[in-house]
Structures are given as structure tokens and as C-alpha cells.
Amino acid sequence: MPADPIRALAGSLGASIGTELDLERPADPEHGDFATNVALQLAGTRRKAPRELADEIAEAASGLPEVARAEVAGPGFVNIVLGDGWFVDAVAAILADAAYGGGWAPARERIQVEMVSANPTGPLHVAHGRNGAYGDSLARLLALGGNDVEREYYYNDSGGQMERFRASVEAIREAREPPEDGYRGEYVRELAAQPGDPVPAMLARIEASLERFRVHFDSWRRQSVLEERLPELLPRLDAYERDGALWARSSAYGDDEDRVLLRSGDRTPTYRAADVAYLVDKLDRGFDRAIYVLGADHHGTRNWYAAIARMLGYDPDRIEVLLYQLVHLTRGGEQTRMSRRRGDIVFLDDFVDEIGVDAARWYLVNRGPDQTIEIDVDLAAERSQKNPVYYVQYAHARIAGILRNAGEPRSTLSPSAPLAAEERELVKRLAELPGVLADAAAKRGPQAIPAYAIRVADDFHRFYHEHRVLESDQEAFRLALCRATQVVIARCLDLLGVESPQRM
């Protein structure tokens, strides 16, 4: 079983009183290490006053070997103070679990996360970076939980946008102005200097940018190939003809409106028709769950995908559409643009050049996808403890230095004196990781990870400021606590796609 010290304690107490329960950390440590309000929840079904039931729960808790004492507070809360043995065992469990923080998925699922999927008509910009950072961190989180996760990029290599892109490159080659609705910028001139179709070259640049950004894809899908299945799939849809176009009757299946599948006149497929082929392609490959990460301007897509699934007999609950908001960059409180090649877009590569991959990954996951992100570029590039990613990395590097100076680890963790408050608080924080990650995955919210990592770094720095580690009476336990803290920080940073430095 994966290590989860808090859940194990809750399970022991729950078994003693015959019900499942949750343990929370009180805001004030004076109120105990953990608390539960299960007496208030059970009072009605067990036909007892909450305080009376709380007394029974406190008595049961006091009988557990991990518990030093349990007390009833307020209308029926039970506050629990743990003995030092629980803290020592928690540190040992963290160190013994190579995948600490994971393994909580209720059932192993095969999940595809499709992300970025920008049309290959230009370099990726910062909003695409947010898509990739968010989607990749979520994929890492779901995989740690115990799922089989694959990342996919879907690119449009056909249609009007691609024709205008190719025409723009060809115009530069022929010393003409690109079409009025075409593409401009230094990158178009760079592509024009190379022979052949510019799309493969542009896609190679996109893939290189993503690899640099530590987003690796397991598979790529092309719209032109998927559209070959449309003659087979469109007759299976509930559709009708109107004004020379073929429409899906999607409003009858939960969508906001009906959608055009084939245009009037030339009967070319719309991107909504391509969606049909791509969704079937995903689900027929056996994914239990297909997750799309899309910009907020795709808000109508969620119901459209569900409508397709219903029409074709698939379970719409297998499909998730996750939307994210915009990114604004500021300097001195003013919005800024950093691209030297095109003034109205901030390219992802320019952004990474400015602040580095670590800071870029951190800041693009640091807020929930439903919130607009505002990044202070100067702060993000600063190598000081005012910068949160540097602050957390510094804690990891400081621990690495302590461990280098310590030599071989001791074989015992047993403390020689009662644990100090700072030691206890740090262990409790480390023990929260499995619950934090399980909750983040359930909410599709990896932004909980940097917030938690900062709290771990805070608790570690507080502990380290107050207590000597090397050549102290508690050296064996404190070194183990340092190693456990390093494990947790490294786990958080890896989930964000951020490096864990040994020196800074």
C-alpha cells in the first residue's frame, strides 16, 4: 500500500468507531495535531447528542497507540494530540515509499490528455505555454496517482488557415506581399528561405519548443488523415440538409445549437466535422477518459463533444474539456511584450529565454485555469527568495548541502528527546502530500501543488532556523526529516516540470 500517514491514522480511528472519517489540521496547533467533526455528522443517525458521541470517539482515539491524548471541544469536535512515535513512523514511511504521494487512484484508467494542438502556422506563444504547462502537470499528476496516461498533439494540416499560411510563405519566396489575411513576421521569412512545404518545418519548430519546455508527446494526430473517415462517420450522425449545407442536429443531444458539418457549395468539411473523426479516433483506441485542454474561447466545445458522443452511442462522461484563461505579462505594473520578431505576440521561446524553463513552468501553473494569470517578468527572472520557484528550489538545494556534509545516513531514526514543535509541524505538512495530490487531481487543479510546496519550504526554513541538524543530539532523526522533506519538494517540483537543484 502507498504511504499515507494521515489516512492510515484516520482509518485506525474509523475502524475503532465503525465509520469512515476525515482528519483535519486545526488552525491553532494548541488545539491538537488533528481534529475530526465526525461526531456532529453521526449524531442524527446514531441518535445521540454530539458531545456524548464525541466523548466516545475521544475515548476510542485515546486507546490508539499513536495517540497521546484526545479531547472534546466545542459542540462535538474531537482534538487529537499524537505521540512522537507517529511522527517517527511517518518519516520512515515517506522514505520507504519510492512513489510517495501517489497511488491514490481508485481504479487504474487509461487516460489521454490532448493539449496545445496549435495550428502549425507560427511559433507557439505564451498562451500555448500555459496550455502545455497545465496539461502536462495534470498528466504527471494523474500518472502518479496510478493511471496509464498518454499525451497527444492534434494539428490542423488542412483547410483555409493552412492554405493562407502556405500562400504567405510562397509570397515571400516570390518577393510579393503576403495575402491581406495571411501571416507575417520574421519566422515567415525564415521558413521562406527553406525549400518545400513550410508546414513540416513549422511543426518541427513547435515540437522543439515543447521539448525545451519539458512537454513530451507520446503521439501526434493529423486532421487531414482523420478526415478520411468522414464518409464513414457522417451518415451515423443525426443530421439534416439546410441552405446547401449538412448540419448536425446537436441541439437535440445537449449542445447549445446545431453545427455545420459540410459547407454549402464546395461541401468541404468544417472543423466541427473533423472533431467527429477525432473523437471517434480517441475513443476507439480504448481510452477510458479523453481530456481536452483548450483555451477559454472554446467554451462551446464541451457540449459539442458530448453531443457527438451521445449521437454515436459513446458515454459522454468519458470526455472532459478543460478550459484555461489568458496570460498577461507585466513589468513595473505595466503590460509588456517581449517578442523581437512580432510585436503583437509573445512567443514561448522568447518568454523562456527571458525567465528560464523552471520559472515559466511554475508561473504558468501557479493559478487555477479559470483565472487569468498575470506574471511579473522581472520577479519571475529574479534569483532571490522573493521569487517563489527559487524559494522552493533553494530549500531543496539547502537540504542537499546538509546531506552532502552528513555522510552516510544513520540506521535508526529514533529521537533522543521529545520532538520540538517545528519538527512536528514539518512532519505533519509532509504527511499531507498524498491528500493534497489526490484532491488536486480530482479537481483537475495542479495549481494546488506550488501552493503546497511553498508551505513545505516555509515549514522547513522555520525548522532549520530554530534547530541545528548536524552534530546535534537529534542528528539521526533530523537528517531523516531533511531527507523526507527533500523527497516531498522534489516530488512537487517534478509534477510541475521544474528541476530540483542540488546546488544554488
Side-chain angles (χ1 to χ4, degrees):
M1 291 291 291
D4 188 340
I6 297 175
R7 177 51 51 196
L9 177 63
S12 295
L13 179 55
S16 69
I17 63 174
T19 188
E20 294 185 357
L21 57 88
D22 292 317
L23 294 175
E24 303 289 340
R25 285 181 65 183
D28 185 351
E30 293 295 321
H31 296 159
D33 295 309
F34 293 99
T36 179
N37 64 352
V38 68
L40 297 170
Q41 299 169 358
L42 292 178
T45 57
R46 296 200 176 180
R47 300 183 182 278
K48 289 186 177 182
R51 288 276 306 194
E52 180 184 354
L53 194 53
D55 284 332
E56 295 176 6
I57 294 169
E59 182 177 356
S62 298
L64 297 177
E66 305 96 325
V67 175
R69 67 178 187 278
E71 301 168 344
V72 177
F77 296 96
V78 178
N79 295 335
I80 298 169
V81 177
L82 299 173
D84 284 356
W86 181 87
F87 295 88
V88 175
D89 290 345
V91 171
I94 293 169
L95 294 176
D97 187 351
Y100 177 63
W104 30 258
R108 185 180 183 88
E109 289 188 323
R110 187 165 177 240
I111 300 174
Q112 185 202 76
V113 179
E114 185 232 314
M115 53 191 169
V116 186
S117 297
N119 292 339
T121 56
L124 299 178
H125 51 69
V126 172
H128 296 136
R130 183 174 192 184
N131 186 315
Y134 171 51
D136 184 58
S137 289
L138 178 60
R140 292 174 186 232
L141 183 58
L142 293 170
L144 182 68
N147 298 293
D148 179 10
V149 181
E150 297 182 26
R151 298 159 178 81
E152 183 158 281
Y153 190 115
Y154 168 71
Y155 72 94
N156 176 346
D157 63 342
S158 64
Q161 284 190 8
M162 300 311 301
E163 291 172 7
R164 289 192 296 275
F165 173 63
R166 290 184 172 101
S168 299
V169 174
E170 191 60 32
I172 297 298
R173 287 171 177 166
E174 297 175 358
R176 295 184 287 107
E177 277 294 308
E180 184 176 345
D181 58 351
Y183 294 86
R184 291 167 172 78
E186 184 61 30
Y187 76 91
V188 179
R189 297 187 178 279
E190 293 169 359
L191 290 169
Q194 306 172 38
D197 185 355
V199 173
M202 190 68 256
L203 191 63
R205 290 180 62 170
I206 288 173
E207 185 171 357
S209 295
L210 289 166
E211 287 288 345
R212 178 192 183 194
F213 198 52
R214 302 180 189 137
V215 178
H216 177 76
F217 287 91
D218 302 295
S219 56
W220 301 70
R221 278 294 191 270
R222 294 168 52 196
Q223 179 178 335
S224 61
V225 174
L226 292 170
E227 285 179 345
E228 295 174 0
R229 294 193 63 186
L230 288 178
E232 162 206 345
L233 296 173
L234 293 185
R236 294 170 53 190
L237 297 177
D238 185 354
Y240 61 92
E241 296 279 346
R242 190 177 78 192
D243 300 328
L246 181 67
W247 294 71
R249 205 182 314 273
S250 46
S251 61
Y253 295 84
D255 198 3
D256 303 324
E257 58 186 355
D258 290 352
R259 310 282 183 173
V260 177
L261 296 169
L262 299 178
R263 298 178 179 90
S264 60
D266 61 7
R267 303 290 282 185
T268 55
T270 65
Y271 70 93
R272 295 295 187 187
D275 288 342
V276 175
Y278 189 31
L279 181 62
V280 171
D281 178 71
K282 286 173 182 280
L283 299 182
D284 281 356
R285 278 184 277 160
F287 292 108
D288 301 303
R289 191 169 303 279
I291 297 177
Y292 294 79
V293 182
L294 302 171
D297 56 335
H298 290 80
H299 60 86
T301 302
R302 179 182 286 115
N303 291 338
W304 165 238
Y305 287 158
I308 299 172
R310 292 187 183 98
M311 280 191 213
L312 296 176
Y314 296 102
D315 180 0
D317 289 339
R318 292 171 64 188
I319 303 157
E320 293 184 39
V321 176
L322 306 179
L323 304 178
Y324 64 92
Q325 296 294 328
L326 299 174
V327 180
H328 298 305
L329 307 179
T330 66
R331 290 187 197 272
E334 298 292 330
Q335 284 198 27
T336 186
R337 297 185 176 96
M338 296 188 305
S339 176
R340 298 179 298 277
R341 292 171 287 176
R342 185 169 166 181
D344 59 338
I345 292 177
V346 180
F347 290 140
L348 178 60
D349 282 333
D350 292 335
F351 183 57
V352 171
D353 287 343
E354 179 90 5
I355 71 171
V357 177
D358 288 337
R361 290 285 305 237
W362 176 284
Y363 279 94
L364 289 172
V365 182
N366 197 36
R367 292 287 181 272
D370 59 336
Q371 297 179 340
T372 298
I373 292 180
E374 187 170 286
I375 300 175
D376 183 330
V377 175
D378 292 328
L379 175 60
E382 188 171 312
R383 292 178 63 81
S384 79
Q385 295 199 46
K386 291 188 294 183
N387 183 344
V389 63
Y390 183 93
Y391 175 69
V392 173
Q393 287 181 313
Y394 181 71
H396 185 277
R398 170 172 271 179
I399 294 170
I402 293 169
L403 298 179
R404 279 194 302 273
N405 293 329
E408 291 298 318
R410 306 288 184 85
S411 59
T412 178
L413 305 185
S414 299
S416 57
L419 297 182
E422 294 80 11
E423 293 170 315
R424 294 168 68 94
E425 291 301 300
L426 179 54
V427 175
K428 285 185 287 185
R429 184 73 68 197
L430 303 181
E432 290 175 350
L433 181 65
V436 168
L437 298 186
D439 187 61
K443 295 176 179 176
R444 306 300 192 241
Q447 70 274 8
I449 301 170
Y452 169 76
I454 290 171
R455 291 193 291 270
V456 173
D458 284 342
D459 286 343
F460 171 74
H461 287 306
R462 194 174 298 114
F463 151 74
Y464 187 72
H465 177 75
E466 295 293 333
H467 303 284
R468 185 181 184 88
V469 176
L470 300 179
E471 300 178 358
S472 69
D473 292 341
Q474 298 278 63
E475 179 178 311
F477 175 76
R478 288 175 182 168
L479 282 174
L481 179 54
C482 286
R483 291 200 305 275
T485 304
Q486 188 183 46
V487 165
V488 169
I489 292 176
R491 176 77 67 231
C492 292
L493 292 176
D494 181 68
L495 290 170
L496 299 173
V498 175
E499 291 185 335
S500 299
Q502 298 296 310
R503 289 179 169 85
M504 291 182 71

